[in-house]
Amino acid sequence: MTGDLYIRPLHMSSEKDISPGAAPLLASGEYYSAAEVTLRSSAGDITRREIVASGEILSWVQNNSPLHQDKALAILKNLSTKRSNFAGLNMSQPQIMAVINVTPDSFSDGGDRYDRARAVDDALRMRELGASILDVGGESTRPGAEPVSEEEELRRVLPVIEKLAEAGALVSIDTRHARVMREAVAAGAGIINDVTALEGDKDSLETAAFAKVPVILMHMQGTPQTMQANPCYQDVTLDVFDYLEKRVAACVAAGIPREMIAVDPGIGFGKTTEHNLRLLDAQALLHGTGCPLLLGVSRKGFIGKLSRGEEPKERVAGSLACALAGLVRGVQMYRVHDVAETAQAFAIARAIS
């Protein structure tokens, strides 16, 4: 690891006049008046962290770490630049990705859509309710889940993808296996969504580059079988940023254009409750990668831990709270189980602001 610089926008507002000198965020009509600027050593230790007014970031870097000026300029450009459309979707407004688990054992809806016909019907209904992406998965990646064979995964997902694509839906394939990616795209999937950020299968990166469809890279520490055993980080927000930045660079080097890459911090995948909360608060840091952000937090276990121990399907309100936290931090895409509720919450929040 080399020493590095990080800039996390703070104090976001749609009213620039509230803070003269506020900087634009993603050319979205939002501004940030300050940022948390962090320096850390090649060993990963934080050497300096301060809250700096947005108009003074470059001078702060010049005074404290002049070797990082080019990095600061690159991050500030990423923070201010409007995101290109992703898979044809406008990244200037929140996009909802509906969870379509064609599995018997997913943590929240396992078995609900194991029947193909019901999976297709439910997915198309979710599209009517506001989902712009239908995320089809045939292997559970919940904590402790056992892997399934590629043949079984394909048996589950391909008929559903084909029907949804025939109906004109934008489908993403939620898989960590190159063969499943390849056959799903051939069946009509328009996005690859991989919890291993295209490194869980030795052929995934080449397969995704050849497929020429947008990809979503998620951070996960360990595997579904091991990730919750004892997750540890030097600084979870910076470590996740570093990992995703490196995976984006690997994809670009493999021939995947940056505008076809989105990133996901992987809430609940190798993280404690405290890690999850810190990542949710610091999501704006990831805008520095220059890629759209996906937030997948719907019904996850830490919501129950912070509340009254509710079962997954009773965590809708907590899921909406997390989604709205993402909205005010500029997150562009949201992977959810409860499409109608999320769409309603976004409509009201955006009308208010």
Side-chain angles (χ1 to χ4, degrees):
M1 178 186 293
T2 57
D4 223 331
L5 169 83
Y6 308 83
I7 300 173
R8 174 164 73 103
L10 298 172
H11 308 156
M12 271 76 84
S13 172
S14 58
E15 298 293 336
K16 184 179 181 182
D17 292 341
I18 292 176
S19 300
L25 182 66
L26 308 176
S28 61
E30 296 288 314
Y31 297 83
Y32 64 100
S33 60
E36 179 187 77
V37 185
T38 302
L39 295 169
R40 70 171 178 173
S41 71
S42 58
D45 301 315
I46 294 173
T47 58
R48 189 151 191 170
R49 173 174 276 166
E50 290 185 19
I51 306 300
V52 182
S54 56
E56 299 175 5
I57 293 172
L58 286 177
S59 61
W60 186 96
V61 173
Q62 175 62 38
N63 291 333
N64 291 279
S65 186
L67 293 178
H68 280 110
Q69 276 207 300
D70 287 346
K71 180 67 179 284
L73 286 168
I75 293 176
L76 290 173
K77 180 179 179 181
N78 286 340
L79 293 178
S80 65
T81 302
K82 180 181 180 180
R83 296 291 177 260
S84 302
N85 286 0
F86 182 81
L89 300 176
N90 183 358
M91 293 291 99
S92 296
Q93 59 189 46
Q95 301 291 343
I96 296 174
M97 170 189 278
V99 179
I100 313 296
N101 285 324
V102 193
T103 60
D105 57 343
S106 292
F107 82 96
S108 173
D109 57 354
D112 287 1
R113 300 184 180 92
Y114 197 41
D115 176 80
R116 296 171 184 172
R118 179 173 178 185
V120 172
D121 288 346
D122 285 358
L124 293 177
R125 176 60 176 159
M126 289 181 180
R127 185 173 67 152
E128 292 176 357
L129 293 171
S132 50
I133 307 170
L134 305 177
D135 191 44
V136 178
E139 178 189 41
S140 174
T141 51
R142 61 177 169 76
E146 292 299 323
V148 301
S149 69
E150 292 178 358
E151 289 74 16
E152 175 61 17
E153 190 178 355
L154 287 165
R155 186 193 69 79
R156 295 174 181 179
V157 302
L158 288 184
V160 176
I161 291 171
E162 289 169 354
K163 289 292 186 182
L164 295 177
E166 287 172 5
L170 175 58
V171 181
S172 61
I173 175 63
D174 176 8
T175 186
R176 50 185 174 151
H177 301 113
R179 178 185 168 193
V180 178
M181 296 173 191
R182 184 167 54 251
E183 296 195 30
V185 170
I191 300 172
I192 293 170
N193 179 21
D194 183 6
V195 297
T196 71
L198 298 179
E199 65 173 357
D201 181 322
K202 63 181 177 60
D203 296 322
S204 290
L205 190 56
E206 181 181 359
T207 296
F210 183 78
K212 299 188 185 307
V213 299
V215 299
I216 300 172
L217 311 175
M218 196 193 80
H219 175 276
M220 174 172 60
Q221 188 177 92
T223 67
Q225 294 75 41
T226 65
M227 62 187 182
Q228 291 305 110
N230 184 31
C232 296
Y233 300 87
Q234 286 183 287
D235 182 292
V236 66
T237 59
L238 306 188
D239 291 354
V240 168
F241 180 93
D242 285 347
Y243 174 81
L244 292 173
E245 189 175 52
K246 289 174 183 175
R247 293 309 300 159
V248 169
C251 287
V252 171
I256 302 173
R258 183 177 291 268
E259 60 268 22
M260 292 175 61
I261 303 170
V263 297
D264 175 354
I267 301 297
F269 283 79
K271 282 94 176 174
T272 64
T273 296
E274 179 59 28
H275 292 149
N276 291 328
L277 292 173
R278 289 180 63 194
L279 283 167
L280 287 167
D281 184 39
Q283 289 172 91
L285 172 75
L286 297 178
H287 292 309
T289 63
C291 299
L293 309 186
L294 172 72
L295 176 62
V297 69
S298 180
R299 300 184 182 178
K300 291 196 172 176
F302 80 96
I303 296 172
K305 291 179 181 177
L306 291 169
S307 184
R308 300 191 306 276
E310 295 91 342
E311 293 300 311
K313 291 181 181 179
E314 298 175 354
R315 300 171 189 159
V316 180
S319 301
L320 294 177
C322 294
L324 292 173
L327 193 66
V328 299
R329 290 163 175 80
V331 173
Q332 292 94 351
M333 293 180 284
Y334 302 81
R335 185 177 184 272
V336 309
H337 298 85
D338 305 291
V339 171
E341 294 84 348
T342 305
Q344 184 182 83
F346 285 169
I348 302 308
R350 297 182 76 208
I352 293 170
S353 65

